[in-house]
């Protein structure tokens, strides 16, 4: 019988394989936060930004 770690590892590998742009790392989230904190985002309003590596669930 497989342990919980094996099951989680297998599930994580399956999700990672389905993520078109790769799995996120903390710097991906930080880059998004820095963008919104900068003047580059001055014309952005009412947006939802999903930092998800291209993976989405219906």
């Amino acid at each position: 019988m497989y342990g919980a770690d094996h099951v989680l590892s297998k599930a994580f590998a399956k999700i990672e394989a389905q993520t078109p742009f790769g799995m996120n790392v903390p710097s991906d989230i930080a880059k998004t936060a820095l963008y919104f904190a900068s003047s580059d985002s001055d014309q952005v309003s009412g947006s939802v930004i999903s930092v998800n590596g291209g993976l989405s669930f219906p």
Side-chain angles (χ1 to χ4, degrees):
M1 180 164 257
Y2 294 113
D5 287 342
H6 175 76
V7 173
L8 288 174
S9 179
K10 191 173 177 180
F12 191 86
K14 185 175 181 179
I15 292 168
E16 187 173 21
Q18 296 174 0
T19 306
F21 305 120
M23 295 299 288
N24 289 342
V25 293
S27 64
D28 295 325
I29 308 301
K31 289 174 191 174
T32 305
L34 286 172
Y35 169 73
F36 282 113
S38 76
S39 61
D40 290 338
S41 68
D42 286 350
Q43 295 297 313
V44 177
S45 64
S47 295
V48 175
I49 306 295
S50 296
V51 183
N52 60 16
L55 180 68
S56 62
F57 298 96

